[in-house]
């Protein structure tokens, strides 16, 4: 994709992004109202129509859009949120907002964004996650009173409902990680020791979080700044761990042991200027030859 000639509007892609993936299609949000859809396997890089203007385009948090598959309608759906109003009242400092949400359906004859019901809360820093049937958005922790729920957007009904927050959820994109592990929504937080991590899983009925496993390695250099599960297979999780450096590990869910796979700092991205400090964002990716242009009107 480094060789792909990007259109001028791609300049809105910030230096920190949360690309979302579904069946080989990757949605990339920008610091503007533009969302891109790409498929690295087919080398397609397509600009979707501009979404509804977001008055909060100068936000400090990374922009995000989500993509999922509506199995009931056999359609891929891209979702984004936008603020009609977002400010802090004086002198209370209370967040005042008006938020909207819209979806873009690939193959829709209108080739345009469609408004959905508004999210029930402001959306914050936590990157969204899509499971088999829903997209999960984190609430904004600066809202008063602070929400105690995650927002779940149903791909089938295109409506929102609420599910409880994971234990000790901190509303911080730097340490909060929601993940889709085998179609289950999971969350990681630091356990009682500095190098142990608890992985929680949302119950099928969406009413409570259940402990899935604890990863507590003997390696004191394991790091504790970030623990991001990427995928689960055969009783193990492939996980990105970071402190000063960033590394990939296999983590055994039963024993809690870890096996180092590689240092991400060793990756040589030819043609990429990494003279500045670089944080790698790793997403599980399954190559697919799905053509975006086949869905274009």
């Amino acid at each position: 994709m480094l060789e792909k000639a990007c259109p001028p509007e791609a300049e809105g892609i910030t230096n920190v992004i949360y690309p979302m993936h579904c069946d080989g299609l990757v949605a990339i949000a920008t610091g503007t109202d533009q969302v891109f859809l790409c498929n690295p396997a087919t080398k397609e890089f397509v600009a979707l129509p501009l979404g509804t203007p977001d008055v909060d385009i100068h936000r400090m948090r990374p922009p995000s859009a989500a993509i999922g598959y509506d199995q009931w309608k056999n359609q891929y759906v891209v979702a984004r949120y936008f603020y009609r109003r977002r400010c802090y009242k004086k002198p209370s400092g209370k967040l005042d907002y008006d938020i909207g949400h819209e979806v873009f359906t690939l193959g829709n004859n209108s080739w345009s964004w469609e408004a959905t019901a508004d999210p029930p809360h402001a959306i914050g820093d936590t990157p969204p996650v899509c499971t088999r049937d829903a997209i999960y958005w984190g609430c904004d922790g600066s809202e008063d009173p602070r929400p105690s729920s995650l927002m779940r957007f149903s791909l089938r009904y295109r409506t929102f409902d609420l599910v409880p927050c994971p234990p000790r959820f901190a509303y911080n994109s730097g340490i909060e990680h929601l993940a889709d592990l085998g179609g289950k929504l999971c969350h990681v937080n630091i356990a009682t020791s500095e190098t142990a991590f608890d992985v929680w899983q949302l119950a099928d009925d969406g009413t409570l979080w259940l402990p899935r496993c604890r990863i507590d390695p003997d390696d004191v250099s394991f790091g504790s700044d970030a623990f991001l599960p990427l995928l689960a297979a055969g009783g193990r999780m492939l996980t990105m761990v970071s402190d000063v450096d960033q590394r990939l590990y296999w983590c055994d869910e039963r024993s809690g042991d870890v096996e180092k796979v590689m240092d991400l700092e060793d990756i040589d991205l030819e043609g990429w200027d990494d003279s500045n400090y670089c944080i790698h964002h790793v997403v599980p990716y399954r190559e697919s030859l799905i053509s975006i242009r086949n869905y274009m009107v």
Side-chain angles (χ1 to χ4, degrees), residues 15 265 272-280:
N15 61 344
E265 309 299 330
W272 179 262
D273 179 11
D274 59 355
S275 57
N276 295 321
Y277 178 70
C278 178
I279 297 178
H280 297 83

Side-chain angles (χ1 to χ4, degrees), residues 1 24-25 37-44 285 288-292:
M1 294 304 290
L25 303 179
L37 198 60
C38 71
N39 186 335
T42 62
K43 306 295 184 183
E44 294 172 301
Y285 175 75
S288 169
L289 295 180
I290 295 174
S291 173
I292 300 171

Side-chain angles (χ1 to χ4, degrees), residues 24-87:
L25 303 179
V26 182
I28 301 175
T30 70
T32 68
D33 301 314
Q34 183 74 67
V35 175
F36 293 97
L37 198 60
C38 71
N39 186 335
T42 62
K43 306 295 184 183
E44 294 172 301
F45 191 90
V46 175
L48 299 182
L50 289 176
T52 300
D54 186 355
V55 301
D56 195 34
I57 60 174
H58 299 297
R59 57 185 176 265
M60 296 300 294
R61 62 183 178 277
S64 57
I67 181 171
Y69 179 69
D70 181 349
Q71 58 184 311
W72 295 273
K73 297 180 180 178
N74 192 29
Q75 295 174 328
Y76 290 97
V77 178
V78 181
R80 69 181 289 266
Y81 68 91
F82 55 90
Y83 282 97
R84 306 181 187 97
R85 182 183 72 256
R86 190 178 191 278
C87 60

Side-chain angles (χ1 to χ4, degrees), residues 96-124:
D96 179 37
Y97 70 92
D98 181 12
I99 189 172
H101 186 270
E102 58 191 1
V103 296
F104 184 92
T105 303
L106 288 183
N108 190 321
N109 291 332
S110 66
W111 191 249
S112 62
W113 294 90
E114 302 174 22
T116 69
D118 292 344
H121 292 288
I123 292 177

Side-chain angles (χ1 to χ4, degrees), residues 240-274:
M240 187 187 81
V241 176
S242 72
D243 40 30
V244 177
D245 300 319
Q246 289 143 343
R247 303 171 297 279
L248 288 181
Y249 286 87
W250 278 113
C251 301
D252 191 292
E253 294 194 45
R254 181 180 294 271
S255 68
D257 294 336
V258 300
E259 175 189 347
K260 185 176 178 180
V261 178
M262 67 178 298
D263 285 309
L264 293 177
E265 309 299 330
D266 295 337
I267 299 176
D268 181 17
L269 297 176
E270 184 179 354
W272 179 262
D273 179 11
D274 59 355

